[in-house]
């Protein structure tokens, strides 16, 4: 076990597209939540000792919505309770405009060495339309402060296929984002999820989205522009200067194990998928009673592990290595998934290259369809 995800489910404002486990910050038992989050880490580290942790990722919600006192308490505990010695990757998610210089200094002082900013767009009109509270100038100011304090490993999240967004809108956002010269960018198309504001608007016929062709054009432009700027696409939605790939996210895509701490967090330990209760009252109450707040567990079969190896690993541009698959599972990938490999290769969506099976450029546009082909009956 070498990775941990920590969930802070509080936000100053709820974005219209977000379906993560989150709560409006005002009026919530934030201090009590942090106490119990630390207790969960203590219990888990006592039950499942880990010699060294190479990646820690704090997400949400908005972790930097915590006040400075709460933030420092969380940071100090992470460095005390978890076996992270500072040599690995320590990431915090943050929002432009909501992350003060004081909070950035705290993060830096406690060894956070990677920031992931949820920018989404440089178009103020679109930011308002998707429920974001920051604006274009906040991005420049916050990233300038982060660099001044000493952060160099900075990632930016962007979105496309937003309501009313044109190809030119997205081109302008890409131009501004790339002009900042960051070493890592993530960019995702909007997916309308149940229990979101956008889902309700769509059901009422009040949400105008770009066509599928327009969405494909945006994704194609994204890949081309990133390549022009020397950023390697290493996963369907992620681009980096070589050496700045997200080590934590690669744990997921490599189908490796990790701890998950916090309300609604997921973990993968010794072949078992675990998910925590999302409701704050239930999460806090279980830990007050000395119990881990696990809602569900699922012990994976060998078949499920092989399926996940494929549809997680194929997200990476390098794909899934034939030799690695055989060493991990004791069987030949081409025997287990003969039908899927044949069909998707003939359709031009998969290719064999350098000892790996991987998506073609065309396959990246139809990734979900490819992944579904690897579900064994």
């Amino acid at each position: 076990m070498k990775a941990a995800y920590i969930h802070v489910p509080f936000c100053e404002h709820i974005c219209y597209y977000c379906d993560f486990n989150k709560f409006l910050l005002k009026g919530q038992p934030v201090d009590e939540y942090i106490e119990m989050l630390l207790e969960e880490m203590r219990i888990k580290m006592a039950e499942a000792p880990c010699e060294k942790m190479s990646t820690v990722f704090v997400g949400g919600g908005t972790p930097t919505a915590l006040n400075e006192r709460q933030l420092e308490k969380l940071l100090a505990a992470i460095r005390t309770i978890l076996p992270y010695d500072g040599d690995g990757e320590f990431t915090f998610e943050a929002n432009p405009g909501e992350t003060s210089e004081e909070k950035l200094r705290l993060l830096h002082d406690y060894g956070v060495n990677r920031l992931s900013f949820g920018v989404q767009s440089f178009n103020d009109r679109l930011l308002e339309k998707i429920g974001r509270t920051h604006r274009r100038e906040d991005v420049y100011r916050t990233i300038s402060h982060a660099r001044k304090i000493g952060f160099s490993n900075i990632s930016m999240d962007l979105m496309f296929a937003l309501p009313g967004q044109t190809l030119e809108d997205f081109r302008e956002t890409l131009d501004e984002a790339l002009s900042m010269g960051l070493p890592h960018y993530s960019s995702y198309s909007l997916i309308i999820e149940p229990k979101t504001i956008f889902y309700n608007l769509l059901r009422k016929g009040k949400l105008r989205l770009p066509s599928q062709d327009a969405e494909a054009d945006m994704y194609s432009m994204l890949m081309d522009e990133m390549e022009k700027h020397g950023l390697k696409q290493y996963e369907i939605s992620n681009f980096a200067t070589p050496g700045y790939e997200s080590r934590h996210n690669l744990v997921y895509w490599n189908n490796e194990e990790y701890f998950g701490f916090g309300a609604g967090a997921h973990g993968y330990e010794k072949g078992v998928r675990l998910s925590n209760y999302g409701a704050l009252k239930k999460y806090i109450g279980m830990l007050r009673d000395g119990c881990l707040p696990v809602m569900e567990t699922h012990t994976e079969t060998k078949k499920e592990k092989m399926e996940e190896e494929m549809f997680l690993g194929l997200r990476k541009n390098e794909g899934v290595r034939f030799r690695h698959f055989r060493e991990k599972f004791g069987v030949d990938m081409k025997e287990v998934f003969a039908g899927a490999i044949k069909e998707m290769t003939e359709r031009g969506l998969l290719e064999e290259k350098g000892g790996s099976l991987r998506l073609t450029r065309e396959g990246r546009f139809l990734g979900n369809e490819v992944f579904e082909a690897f579900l064994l009956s």
Side-chain angles (χ1 to χ4, degrees):
M1 193 73 63
K2 60 178 182 179
Y5 172 77
I6 300 168
H7 193 67
V8 179
F10 305 111
C11 295
E12 304 250 6
H13 180 79
I14 303 299
C15 300
Y16 300 161
Y17 54 84
C18 181
D19 72 330
F20 293 124
N21 193 48
K22 78 282 183 186
F23 305 91
L24 278 171
L25 181 67
K26 188 175 181 180
Q28 298 295 346
V30 181
D31 288 323
E32 189 175 11
Y33 177 81
I34 293 172
E35 286 284 353
M36 293 302 100
L37 177 59
L38 307 188
E39 183 64 14
E40 183 189 5
M41 289 191 278
R42 291 188 193 100
I43 294 172
K44 179 59 72 173
M45 288 298 97
E47 289 187 357
C50 172
E51 184 176 331
K52 183 175 180 179
M53 202 166 275
S54 59
T55 80
V56 175
F57 191 107
V58 184
T62 311
T64 51
L66 301 177
N67 63 38
E68 290 173 37
R69 175 185 55 79
Q70 293 162 341
L71 189 59
E72 183 163 22
K73 183 171 185 175
L74 175 60
L75 287 162
I78 290 171
R79 295 306 306 270
T80 302
I81 299 169
L82 301 184
Y84 175 76
D85 61 10
D87 289 337
E89 180 187 271
F90 188 0
T91 303
F92 246 74
E93 288 185 338
N95 279 348
E98 294 180 8
T99 310
S100 65
E101 284 192 69
E102 291 73 21
K103 289 182 181 180
L104 286 168
R105 287 195 183 92
L106 264 180
L107 297 176
H108 192 266
D109 289 347
Y110 278 92
V112 174
N113 53 26
R114 185 174 184 271
L115 296 173
S116 179
F117 285 107
V119 172
Q120 316 316 353
S121 176
F122 280 82
N123 183 313
D124 286 349
R125 172 183 58 83
L126 286 174
L127 287 170
E128 183 174 1
K129 188 174 285 190
I130 64 176
R132 301 291 290 183
T133 56
H134 76 269
R135 294 297 178 258
R136 173 180 174 275
E137 288 305 317
D138 295 323
V139 180
Y140 286 98
R141 183 175 64 255
T142 304
I143 289 180
S144 174
H145 289 164
R147 282 173 156 163
K148 182 176 68 175
I149 286 165
F151 288 102
S152 58
N153 192 354
I154 299 174
S155 179
M156 179 185 292
D157 282 1
L158 303 171
M159 296 181 74
F160 59 94
L162 298 172
Q165 187 180 39
T166 66
L167 187 63
E168 188 57 35
D169 288 333
F170 188 52
R171 182 185 299 278
E172 290 172 359
T173 276
L174 278 179
D175 287 346
E176 290 209 54
L178 289 166
S179 75
M180 303 190 78
L182 301 181
H184 191 283
Y185 295 87
S186 300
S187 189
Y188 305 89
S189 65
L190 173 67
I191 298 175
I192 306 298
E193 300 284 4
K195 300 181 181 179
T196 63
I197 294 173
F198 273 171
Y199 181 77
N200 293 330
L201 290 174
L202 187 67
R203 290 185 64 188
K204 294 174 183 177
K206 296 182 179 180
L207 194 67
R208 185 174 64 87
L209 298 172
S211 67
Q212 288 186 343
D213 286 345
E215 179 180 341
D217 288 342
M218 291 179 194
Y219 185 49
S220 182
M221 182 171 67
L222 169 71
M223 291 190 286
D224 292 342
E225 289 302 310
M226 291 291 171
E227 185 176 2
K228 286 178 188 176
H229 286 79
L231 292 144
K232 178 184 175 184
Q233 184 176 17
Y234 69 99
E235 190 266 349
I236 285 179
S237 302
N238 285 270
F239 307 81
T241 301
Y244 284 89
E245 298 84 358
S246 170
R247 291 167 59 184
H248 184 84
N249 286 338
L250 282 167
V251 169
Y252 303 147
W253 301 321
N254 288 331
N255 200 21
E256 297 170 354
E257 299 187 345
Y258 58 95
F259 294 109
F261 300 111
H266 295 258
Y268 185 33
E269 304 173 25
K270 297 181 180 179
V272 179
R273 298 280 177 187
L274 307 96
S275 58
N276 281 351
Y277 284 98
L280 293 181
K281 185 176 180 180
K282 184 70 173 179
Y283 175 84
I284 290 171
M286 289 194 71
L287 284 159
R288 285 281 181 215
D289 292 338
C291 302
L292 285 171
V294 177
M295 179 179 69
E296 291 180 348
T297 63
H298 175 69
T299 301
E300 294 198 316
T301 64
K302 182 177 180 180
K303 178 177 81 73
E304 289 170 330
K305 290 178 182 178
M306 290 190 294
E307 290 172 343
E308 290 183 345
E309 190 77 15
M310 299 308 297
F311 55 71
L312 289 170
L314 285 173
R315 293 189 62 89
K316 301 178 297 177
N317 270 31
E318 69 174 23
V320 181
R321 297 189 63 81
F322 293 105
R323 181 177 177 180
H324 174 76
F325 189 94
R326 171 169 282 281
E327 289 174 348
K328 189 169 184 177
F329 299 108
V331 290
D332 194 320
M333 185 202 306
K334 291 184 179 180
E335 293 178 7
V336 179
F337 297 107
I341 293 173
K342 182 176 185 294
E343 178 190 353
M344 294 298 145
T345 301
E346 288 177 351
R347 289 180 57 187
L349 305 181
L350 284 178
E351 64 181 355
E352 294 183 27
K353 189 169 184 179
S356 294
L357 183 71
R358 67 180 202 174
L359 293 173
T360 61
R361 180 182 172 100
E362 183 63 27
R364 294 175 209 163
F365 290 86
L366 299 170
N368 287 337
E369 187 175 339
V370 176
F371 306 151
E372 288 176 9
F374 285 88
L375 292 172
L376 297 167
S377 58

